[in-house]
Amino acid sequence: MKDESSAALRALALLEQVARAGHPVSLAALTEATGLPKPSVLRILSRLVDAGMLLREPAGKSYVSGPRLSALARDTLLNSPLRGERHRILDSLVDEIGETCNCTMLDGDEVIYLDRVETAWPLRVNLQSGSRVPLHCSASGKLFLAHMRREARERLLAAAPLPRYTPNTLCDVATLERELRAIKKEGASFDREEFLLGIVCMAVPILHGTRAIAAVALHAPVARLSIDGARAWLPRMQEAARKLAGTYEPQA
C-alpha cells in the first residue's frame, strides 16, 4: 500500500508540474523539478500518457495536459466549494452593471461557462453553466486565443474551420490574428455581434501570474449596450477579475 501511495504522489507531482507550466514541458525539466530518477519519470509519464492525463508533443520530447486532466480541471472548477464566493462576485457585478455576467474557461477548442448571473431584464440569452461557445467568435474565446502561445494558437486555428455565425464573424485567420493583437494590447475582448446577432459582449482575463486561467464577461443586447458603453465598465470588470483570481489561489 505504501508503494502504491508513493507512486500516486510521484504521478501527481508530475501532473502538477505540467499543469502549472502553461507550455510543453520536457522530460529533462520534469526530472529536474521533481528530483526523481529519469527512468522513473519516463515510466510514470508513459503511464499518464496511456491514461489520457498527459499528451506527448509530436516531437516526443515534451508533455502537455491531456483530455482527462483537462476534464478533471473543468469538473473541479464547476463543482468547487468556492463557487458560492465566485457567484457572489458575479452577482455584485450584475447588480452594478445591470447586464448578465459570467465566468468562463478554455476547454479544448471551446469556451465553457463555469457560472452565470442573469440580468432581470426580460430580453437576454439563456446560456447556463456547462454551456459551450466557439473560440473565434466569442469575447471570452478570443481572449483565450490572444493569451495563448503563438504555436499552440496556430495549431488550434489550423485544426478546424472557422464557421460563420453572423455577417460579423471573423472567419479569416489573418484578420483574427490582428484582432487578437488588439485584444492583448487593450486587455479586453469584444464580441461585436459575431456569435449572435443583436448581442454584444466584453471579456477580461482572470489572471494567475501572466496566464489567463479564466475570464469574466458581460453580455447585453446591442439595443441596451453599445461596445463603447461596455468599454466604460472595463475598470469595474477588471476589479471583479482580480477578486475572482483570488478564489483560484491555493487555499492555506
Side-chain angles (χ1 to χ4, degrees):
M1 183 67 71
K2 184 177 180 181
D3 288 344
E4 291 179 4
S5 175
S6 178
L9 290 174
R10 289 196 296 269
L12 180 59
L14 289 169
L15 290 173
E16 287 176 336
Q17 290 296 327
V18 173
R20 287 194 195 111
H23 56 79
V25 188
S26 68
L27 172 61
L30 290 169
T31 301
E32 181 180 355
T34 58
L36 296 171
K38 185 175 180 178
S40 297
V41 173
L42 191 56
R43 183 174 61 254
I44 297 169
L45 289 173
S46 179
R47 290 175 179 171
L48 291 171
V49 168
D50 289 343
M53 299 298 286
L54 295 179
L55 290 176
R56 193 166 28 232
E57 288 282 273
K61 296 182 179 179
S62 297
Y63 297 82
V64 295
S65 297
R68 285 185 67 184
L69 184 57
S70 297
L72 178 62
R74 178 198 66 215
D75 293 342
T76 299
L77 289 175
L78 282 170
N79 299 289
S80 168
L82 291 171
R83 187 174 180 182
E85 183 177 347
R86 294 168 190 155
H87 194 81
R88 285 190 291 274
I89 294 170
L90 280 185
D91 205 27
S92 175
L93 195 60
V94 171
D95 281 347
E96 187 172 347
I97 296 176
E99 299 294 350
T100 296
C101 295
N102 59 67
C103 280
T104 63
M105 70 174 285
L106 180 66
D107 188 27
D109 59 356
E110 294 178 302
V111 170
I112 187 169
Y113 281 69
L114 297 173
D115 198 4
R116 185 175 177 89
V117 175
E118 297 280 358
T119 177
W121 289 97
L123 180 58
R124 58 191 186 220
V125 178
N126 186 24
L127 288 168
Q128 301 303 319
S129 297
S131 297
R132 295 171 181 273
V133 294
L135 286 177
H136 70 292
C137 57
S138 61
S140 291
K142 291 190 294 180
L143 188 76
F144 292 130
L145 286 170
H147 281 80
M148 210 176 278
R149 289 182 306 111
R150 186 183 65 184
E151 297 84 356
R153 180 172 67 247
E154 287 176 350
R155 281 200 305 271
L156 194 154
L157 293 177
L162 305 178
R164 182 174 299 282
Y165 290 88
T166 78
N168 295 341
T169 305
L170 303 180
C171 301
D172 174 70
V173 172
T175 304
L176 182 58
E177 284 284 1
R178 287 195 294 273
E179 170 87 349
L180 299 180
R181 287 193 292 271
I183 289 168
K184 195 72 181 292
K185 183 176 180 179
E186 184 168 4
S189 175
F190 299 90
D191 170 0
R192 301 171 176 84
E193 300 183 74
E194 296 160 47
F195 181 47
L196 294 170
L197 281 176
I199 300 295
V200 296
C201 315
M202 178 176 72
V204 299
I206 297 172
L207 297 171
H208 180 73
T210 59
R211 292 177 59 195
I213 57 172
V216 58
L218 69 83
H219 292 227
V222 70
R224 283 204 306 262
L225 189 70
S226 65
I227 291 294
D228 286 341
R231 189 178 271 112
W233 289 107
L234 181 55
R236 181 65 183 88
M237 294 283 289
Q238 291 171 327
E239 179 188 350
R242 286 190 290 271
K243 290 180 179 178
L244 287 162
T247 70
Y248 291 93
E249 295 291 336
Q251 301 300 302

